[in-house]
Amino acid sequence: MFVHFFHELKKANVPVSLREYLTLLEAMDADVIDRKVEDFYYLSRASLVKDERNLDKFDIVFSHVFKGLEMMGDGDIAQIPEEWLRALTEKFLTEEEKAQIEALGGWEKIMEELQKRLEEQKERHEGGNKWIGTGGTSPFGANGYNPEGVRIGQKEGRHGKAVKVWDKREYKNLDDQVELGTRNIKVALRRLRRFAREGAPTELDLDGTIKATAHQGYLDLKMVPERRNKINVLIFFDIGGSMDSHIKLCEELFSAARTEFKNLEYFYFHNCLYEGVWKDNRRRHTEKLSTWDVLHKYPSDYKVIFVGDATMSPYEITYAGGSVEHWNEEPGGIWLERVNQIYESCIWINPIPERHWEYTPSLQIIKQIMGERMFPLTLEGLDHAMRELSR
């Protein structure tokens, strides 16, 4: 029955396996859900999707394959002919007329009235205040006005007053080629993990307890320290100037990194790394830290991440005195080379889409200094970046 669904997922590059498909069929055969489309959606998504990056692809395929099977509630209702739903007219009401239109009395009342009218109405209707159609002031239909209602057959909302949208909603795909939010960034950062047990024994060692109990002949509890991610991370954020347009995305990356990496240190710089960095942008002129001190303080086993658009004058990287803010005794490129010499695992994450990189000379210079280890700030880019740091 669901073979077509399975093949459509494969065509959309959702990596579903035959074993997962059979698991879905077994669950359906065992009646683990009610016979509702919404329940089947969640069951099939849990059975067939292993990676959060494929959730949106799955939603698109599901909508395509099972289009028209949405349930409005218990029991069958009348079918809505497609020709009724075409938007032909739009009635413009004055503010005074809009004020005279009252809601039907909440969600339950609206759905009860909608089902009643679907059973009674036999033809397409245009305008008016009762039947389902286009224009008019009925709570049901399209391209009209009612302060509370159900939108049917309309591409998008206009007044923001629909209680439930009956139409197919199209959203921008959340794929591994686009910039994503904090939750998805966390998923990518989790590739960079190395667990160890250190500290006080606070967790039950189940295997050790079973073994010791069998050996002693009585209950012998064994405890072990908590597993912790021992990865040490050092992040340098480019701040100000052209990076202002990427603040939100960098904030999401920073928030995700603070959650995923317990041993995280961060510093700010502007455009290129020089002899000084800082922790507080409000005090960057008065509380600047020596870059040399930072490089001597944190050992070479730290994973170093630069975050910046690498967009600046090439002189800021290659010449002394090239900085736009102060007189730098040494070129910024020298400092980047020093970081790469001290830390074996060092990458650069760039919020600018990769297709634009070749048009910026300074970006190409920094990419070369970093040994081509520059990655775009997308989910796929972060995935490759964490793989590089894990080597």
Side-chain angles (χ1 to χ4, degrees), residues 241-270:
S242 58
M243 283 297 293
D244 285 348
S245 58
H246 307 296
I247 287 178
K248 183 178 183 298
L249 190 58
C250 290
E251 284 178 342
E252 292 173 348
L253 174 63
F254 189 29
S255 175
R258 290 289 292 268
T259 302
E260 293 301 318
F261 305 128
K262 301 304 180 183
N263 302 318
L264 171 69
E265 293 292 339
Y266 68 93
F267 298 93
Y268 295 107
F269 67 95
H270 179 60

mmCIF file of all heavy atoms in Angstrom, residues 241-270:
data_model
loop_
_atom_site.group_PDB
_atom_site.id
_atom_site.type_symbol
_atom_site.label_atom_id
_atom_site.label_comp_id
_atom_site.label_asym_id
_atom_site.label_seq_id
_atom_site.Cartn_x
_atom_site.Cartn_y
_atom_site.Cartn_z
ATOM 1 N N GLY A 241 31.846 45.886 11.527
ATOM 2 C CA GLY A 241 32.015 46.107 10.089
ATOM 3 C C GLY A 241 31.086 45.241 9.267
ATOM 4 O O GLY A 241 29.875 45.170 9.502
ATOM 5 N N SER A 242 31.650 44.532 8.297
ATOM 6 C CA SER A 242 30.850 43.698 7.411
ATOM 7 C C SER A 242 30.213 42.513 8.123
ATOM 8 O O SER A 242 29.288 41.891 7.597
ATOM 9 C CB SER A 242 31.715 43.189 6.250
ATOM 10 O OG SER A 242 32.829 42.456 6.746
ATOM 11 N N MET A 243 30.671 42.205 9.343
ATOM 12 C CA MET A 243 30.098 41.086 10.089
ATOM 13 C C MET A 243 28.769 41.452 10.753
ATOM 14 O O MET A 243 28.085 40.578 11.276
ATOM 15 C CB MET A 243 31.083 40.601 11.154
ATOM 16 C CG MET A 243 32.225 39.759 10.604
ATOM 17 S SD MET A 243 31.663 38.213 9.853
ATOM 18 C CE MET A 243 31.037 37.337 11.290
ATOM 19 N N ASP A 244 28.418 42.728 10.744
ATOM 20 C CA ASP A 244 27.156 43.139 11.371
ATOM 21 C C ASP A 244 25.949 42.455 10.739
ATOM 22 O O ASP A 244 24.945 42.199 11.410
ATOM 23 C CB ASP A 244 26.996 44.661 11.284
ATOM 24 C CG ASP A 244 27.899 45.383 12.268
ATOM 25 O OD1 ASP A 244 28.470 44.715 13.156
ATOM 26 O OD2 ASP A 244 28.066 46.615 12.137
ATOM 27 N N SER A 245 26.036 42.177 9.447
ATOM 28 C CA SER A 245 24.908 41.536 8.758
ATOM 29 C C SER A 245 24.803 40.047 9.082
ATOM 30 O O SER A 245 23.842 39.393 8.686
ATOM 31 C CB SER A 245 25.031 41.724 7.247
ATOM 32 O OG SER A 245 26.256 41.179 6.771
ATOM 33 N N HIS A 246 25.792 39.509 9.795
ATOM 34 C CA HIS A 246 25.780 38.080 10.137
ATOM 35 C C HIS A 246 25.648 37.861 11.644
ATOM 36 O O HIS A 246 25.922 36.768 12.138
ATOM 37 C CB HIS A 246 27.069 37.412 9.642
ATOM 38 C CG HIS A 246 27.365 37.627 8.192
ATOM 39 N ND1 HIS A 246 26.553 37.153 7.189
ATOM 40 C CD2 HIS A 246 28.386 38.292 7.581
ATOM 41 C CE1 HIS A 246 27.068 37.501 6.013
ATOM 42 N NE2 HIS A 246 28.165 38.196 6.227
ATOM 43 N N ILE A 247 25.250 38.891 12.373
ATOM 44 C CA ILE A 247 25.213 38.803 13.832
ATOM 45 C C ILE A 247 24.297 37.683 14.308
ATOM 46 O O ILE A 247 24.664 36.870 15.160
ATOM 47 C CB ILE A 247 24.775 40.149 14.444
ATOM 48 C CG1 ILE A 247 25.905 41.173 14.319
ATOM 49 C CG2 ILE A 247 24.383 39.976 15.910
ATOM 50 C CD1 ILE A 247 25.544 42.545 14.843
ATOM 51 N N LYS A 248 23.092 37.615 13.760
ATOM 52 C CA LYS A 248 22.124 36.619 14.236
ATOM 53 C C LYS A 248 22.641 35.205 14.044
ATOM 54 O O LYS A 248 22.549 34.364 14.949
ATOM 55 C CB LYS A 248 20.793 36.790 13.496
ATOM 56 C CG LYS A 248 19.696 35.835 13.976
ATOM 57 C CD LYS A 248 18.391 36.088 13.240
ATOM 58 C CE LYS A 248 17.283 35.165 13.781
ATOM 59 N NZ LYS A 248 17.609 33.746 13.562
ATOM 60 N N LEU A 249 23.213 34.937 12.882
ATOM 61 C CA LEU A 249 23.712 33.596 12.602
ATOM 62 C C LEU A 249 24.880 33.247 13.518
ATOM 63 O O LEU A 249 24.977 32.128 14.029
ATOM 64 C CB LEU A 249 24.128 33.504 11.136
ATOM 65 C CG LEU A 249 24.447 32.106 10.603
ATOM 66 C CD1 LEU A 249 23.257 31.183 10.770
ATOM 67 C CD2 LEU A 249 24.858 32.188 9.152
ATOM 68 N N CYS A 250 25.777 34.218 13.751
ATOM 69 C CA CYS A 250 26.920 33.971 14.635
ATOM 70 C C CYS A 250 26.466 33.789 16.079
ATOM 71 O O CYS A 250 27.064 33.004 16.827
ATOM 72 C CB CYS A 250 27.921 35.120 14.534
ATOM 73 S SG CYS A 250 28.791 35.186 12.948
ATOM 74 N N GLU A 251 25.418 34.503 16.474
ATOM 75 C CA GLU A 251 24.875 34.312 17.819
ATOM 76 C C GLU A 251 24.337 32.893 17.986
ATOM 77 O O GLU A 251 24.510 32.268 19.037
ATOM 78 C CB GLU A 251 23.754 35.317 18.080
ATOM 79 C CG GLU A 251 24.244 36.734 18.361
ATOM 80 C CD GLU A 251 23.093 37.703 18.560
ATOM 81 O OE1 GLU A 251 21.960 37.358 18.143
ATOM 82 O OE2 GLU A 251 23.323 38.788 19.111
ATOM 83 N N GLU A 252 23.681 32.386 16.947
ATOM 84 C CA GLU A 252 23.159 31.024 17.004
ATOM 85 C C GLU A 252 24.295 30.005 17.096
ATOM 86 O O GLU A 252 24.214 29.025 17.858
ATOM 87 C CB GLU A 252 22.289 30.748 15.780
ATOM 88 C CG GLU A 252 20.992 31.556 15.759
ATOM 89 C CD GLU A 252 20.223 31.395 14.472
ATOM 90 O OE1 GLU A 252 20.800 30.846 13.512
ATOM 91 O OE2 GLU A 252 19.049 31.805 14.421
ATOM 92 N N LEU A 253 25.353 30.242 16.336
ATOM 93 C CA LEU A 253 26.508 29.349 16.393
ATOM 94 C C LEU A 253 27.147 29.396 17.776
ATOM 95 O O LEU A 253 27.499 28.360 18.355
ATOM 96 C CB LEU A 253 27.530 29.751 15.324
ATOM 97 C CG LEU A 253 28.862 28.995 15.359
ATOM 98 C CD1 LEU A 253 28.651 27.509 15.089
ATOM 99 C CD2 LEU A 253 29.835 29.577 14.332
ATOM 100 N N PHE A 254 27.304 30.599 18.322
ATOM 101 C CA PHE A 254 27.912 30.769 19.640
ATOM 102 C C PHE A 254 27.075 30.078 20.711
ATOM 103 O O PHE A 254 27.594 29.374 21.588
ATOM 104 C CB PHE A 254 28.059 32.260 19.936
ATOM 105 C CG PHE A 254 28.861 32.558 21.181
ATOM 106 C CD1 PHE A 254 29.851 31.697 21.623
ATOM 107 C CD2 PHE A 254 28.612 33.707 21.913
ATOM 108 C CE1 PHE A 254 30.592 31.969 22.761
ATOM 109 C CE2 PHE A 254 29.343 34.001 23.055
ATOM 110 C CZ PHE A 254 30.330 33.123 23.477
ATOM 111 N N SER A 255 25.760 30.272 20.649
ATOM 112 C CA SER A 255 24.861 29.653 21.623
ATOM 113 C C SER A 255 24.942 28.135 21.561
ATOM 114 O O SER A 255 24.996 27.452 22.594
ATOM 115 C CB SER A 255 23.427 30.124 21.368
ATOM 116 O OG SER A 255 22.517 29.470 22.219
ATOM 117 N N ALA A 256 24.964 27.590 20.345
ATOM 118 C CA ALA A 256 25.052 26.138 20.183
ATOM 119 C C ALA A 256 26.391 25.610 20.695
ATOM 120 O O ALA A 256 26.459 24.566 21.351
ATOM 121 C CB ALA A 256 24.861 25.767 18.714
ATOM 122 N N ALA A 257 27.473 26.342 20.412
ATOM 123 C CA ALA A 257 28.804 25.909 20.847
ATOM 124 C C ALA A 257 28.918 25.923 22.367
ATOM 125 O O ALA A 257 29.516 25.019 22.965
ATOM 126 C CB ALA A 257 29.871 26.806 20.228
ATOM 127 N N ARG A 258 28.329 26.942 23.011
ATOM 128 C CA ARG A 258 28.385 27.013 24.475
ATOM 129 C C ARG A 258 27.667 25.826 25.111
ATOM 130 O O ARG A 258 28.037 25.364 26.194
ATOM 131 C CB ARG A 258 27.742 28.325 24.954
ATOM 132 C CG ARG A 258 28.525 29.576 24.642
ATOM 133 C CD ARG A 258 29.781 29.672 25.493
ATOM 134 N NE ARG A 258 29.479 29.897 26.895
ATOM 135 C CZ ARG A 258 29.386 31.103 27.461
ATOM 136 N NH1 ARG A 258 29.558 32.192 26.717
ATOM 137 N NH2 ARG A 258 29.134 31.225 28.742
ATOM 138 N N THR A 259 26.641 25.332 24.443
ATOM 139 C CA THR A 259 25.890 24.196 24.958
ATOM 140 C C THR A 259 26.628 22.889 24.740
ATOM 141 O O THR A 259 26.677 22.029 25.623
ATOM 142 C CB THR A 259 24.506 24.112 24.292
ATOM 143 O OG1 THR A 259 23.798 25.337 24.528
ATOM 144 C CG2 THR A 259 23.701 22.958 24.842
ATOM 145 N N GLU A 260 27.214 22.719 23.571
ATOM 146 C CA GLU A 260 27.818 21.444 23.192
ATOM 147 C C GLU A 260 29.222 21.251 23.757
ATOM 148 O O GLU A 260 29.637 20.122 24.007
ATOM 149 C CB GLU A 260 27.856 21.313 21.669
ATOM 150 C CG GLU A 260 26.485 21.194 21.030
ATOM 151 C CD GLU A 260 25.707 20.001 21.534
ATOM 152 O OE1 GLU A 260 26.304 18.922 21.684
ATOM 153 O OE2 GLU A 260 24.510 20.160 21.818
ATOM 154 N N PHE A 261 29.984 22.317 23.935
ATOM 155 C CA PHE A 261 31.369 22.202 24.387
ATOM 156 C C PHE A 261 31.507 22.799 25.783
ATOM 157 O O PHE A 261 31.388 24.013 25.968
ATOM 158 C CB PHE A 261 32.318 22.916 23.427
ATOM 159 C CG PHE A 261 32.197 22.453 21.998
ATOM 160 C CD1 PHE A 261 32.006 23.358 20.969
ATOM 161 C CD2 PHE A 261 32.260 21.106 21.684
ATOM 162 C CE1 PHE A 261 31.884 22.941 19.654
ATOM 163 C CE2 PHE A 261 32.137 20.681 20.367
ATOM 164 C CZ PHE A 261 31.948 21.595 19.364
ATOM 165 N N LYS A 262 31.760 21.938 26.765
ATOM 166 C CA LYS A 262 31.889 22.416 28.136
ATOM 167 C C LYS A 262 33.208 23.159 28.346
ATOM 168 O O LYS A 262 33.295 24.069 29.172
ATOM 169 C CB LYS A 262 31.806 21.226 29.103
ATOM 170 C CG LYS A 262 30.497 20.442 28.992
ATOM 171 C CD LYS A 262 29.289 21.335 29.193
ATOM 172 C CE LYS A 262 27.989 20.554 29.077
ATOM 173 N NZ LYS A 262 26.796 21.420 29.192
ATOM 174 N N ASN A 263 34.240 22.767 27.605
ATOM 175 C CA ASN A 263 35.539 23.424 27.719
ATOM 176 C C ASN A 263 35.734 24.349 26.519
ATOM 177 O O ASN A 263 36.407 24.011 25.546
ATOM 178 C CB ASN A 263 36.666 22.389 27.786
ATOM 179 C CG ASN A 263 36.486 21.423 28.948
ATOM 180 O OD1 ASN A 263 36.126 21.840 30.050
ATOM 181 N ND2 ASN A 263 36.715 20.150 28.708
ATOM 182 N N LEU A 264 35.093 25.507 26.592
ATOM 183 C CA LEU A 264 35.097 26.451 25.474
ATOM 184 C C LEU A 264 35.626 27.801 25.938
ATOM 185 O O LEU A 264 35.190 28.344 26.952
ATOM 186 C CB LEU A 264 33.690 26.612 24.918
ATOM 187 C CG LEU A 264 33.479 27.727 23.887
ATOM 188 C CD1 LEU A 264 34.186 27.387 22.582
ATOM 189 C CD2 LEU A 264 31.990 27.965 23.631
ATOM 190 N N GLU A 265 36.555 28.351 25.183
ATOM 191 C CA GLU A 265 37.038 29.712 25.405
ATOM 192 C C GLU A 265 36.832 30.494 24.113
ATOM 193 O O GLU A 265 36.990 29.940 23.011
ATOM 194 C CB GLU A 265 38.517 29.721 25.784
ATOM 195 C CG GLU A 265 38.813 29.088 27.137
ATOM 196 C CD GLU A 265 38.252 29.897 28.292
ATOM 197 O OE1 GLU A 265 37.999 31.106 28.100
ATOM 198 O OE2 GLU A 265 38.066 29.320 29.380
ATOM 199 N N TYR A 266 36.506 31.768 24.244
ATOM 200 C CA TYR A 266 36.229 32.578 23.056
ATOM 201 C C TYR A 266 36.866 33.951 23.183
ATOM 202 O O TYR A 266 37.067 34.479 24.279
ATOM 203 C CB TYR A 266 34.721 32.724 22.863
ATOM 204 C CG TYR A 266 34.044 33.555 23.929
ATOM 205 C CD1 TYR A 266 33.855 34.928 23.757
ATOM 206 C CD2 TYR A 266 33.626 32.971 25.124
ATOM 207 C CE1 TYR A 266 33.254 35.695 24.749
ATOM 208 C CE2 TYR A 266 33.026 33.727 26.107
ATOM 209 C CZ TYR A 266 32.847 35.085 25.924
ATOM 210 O OH TYR A 266 32.269 35.843 26.909
ATOM 211 N N PHE A 267 37.175 34.531 22.032
ATOM 212 C CA PHE A 267 37.753 35.872 21.959
ATOM 213 C C PHE A 267 37.241 36.548 20.688
ATOM 214 O O PHE A 267 36.816 35.885 19.744
ATOM 215 C CB PHE A 267 39.285 35.830 21.949
ATOM 216 C CG PHE A 267 39.876 35.217 23.192
ATOM 217 C CD1 PHE A 267 40.185 33.865 23.240
ATOM 218 C CD2 PHE A 267 40.109 35.990 24.313
ATOM 219 C CE1 PHE A 267 40.717 33.295 24.385
ATOM 220 C CE2 PHE A 267 40.640 35.434 25.471
ATOM 221 C CZ PHE A 267 40.948 34.076 25.496
ATOM 222 N N TYR A 268 37.317 37.881 20.688
ATOM 223 C CA TYR A 268 36.890 38.669 19.539
ATOM 224 C C TYR A 268 38.093 39.324 18.874
ATOM 225 O O TYR A 268 39.102 39.636 19.514
ATOM 226 C CB TYR A 268 35.905 39.764 19.966
ATOM 227 C CG TYR A 268 34.594 39.252 20.508
ATOM 228 C CD1 TYR A 268 34.310 39.323 21.877
ATOM 229 C CD2 TYR A 268 33.621 38.709 19.670
ATOM 230 C CE1 TYR A 268 33.104 38.868 22.385
ATOM 231 C CE2 TYR A 268 32.413 38.252 20.167
ATOM 232 C CZ TYR A 268 32.161 38.336 21.535
ATOM 233 O OH TYR A 268 30.975 37.883 22.029
ATOM 234 N N PHE A 269 37.961 39.536 17.559
ATOM 235 C CA PHE A 269 38.934 40.316 16.805
ATOM 236 C C PHE A 269 38.171 41.050 15.709
ATOM 237 O O PHE A 269 36.980 40.814 15.510
ATOM 238 C CB PHE A 269 40.030 39.420 16.213
ATOM 239 C CG PHE A 269 39.545 38.472 15.145
ATOM 240 C CD1 PHE A 269 39.633 38.810 13.794
ATOM 241 C CD2 PHE A 269 38.996 37.232 15.481
ATOM 242 C CE1 PHE A 269 39.187 37.943 12.812
ATOM 243 C CE2 PHE A 269 38.545 36.359 14.501
ATOM 244 C CZ PHE A 269 38.636 36.716 13.165
ATOM 245 N N HIS A 270 38.843 41.948 15.016
ATOM 246 C CA HIS A 270 38.180 42.671 13.926
ATOM 247 C C HIS A 270 38.933 42.455 12.620
ATOM 248 O O HIS A 270 40.121 42.766 12.514
ATOM 249 C CB HIS A 270 38.109 44.167 14.231
ATOM 250 C CG HIS A 270 37.450 44.974 13.141
ATOM 251 N ND1 HIS A 270 36.147 44.752 12.745
ATOM 252 C CD2 HIS A 270 37.934 45.960 12.337
ATOM 253 C CE1 HIS A 270 35.833 45.583 11.769
ATOM 254 N NE2 HIS A 270 36.900 46.322 11.497
#
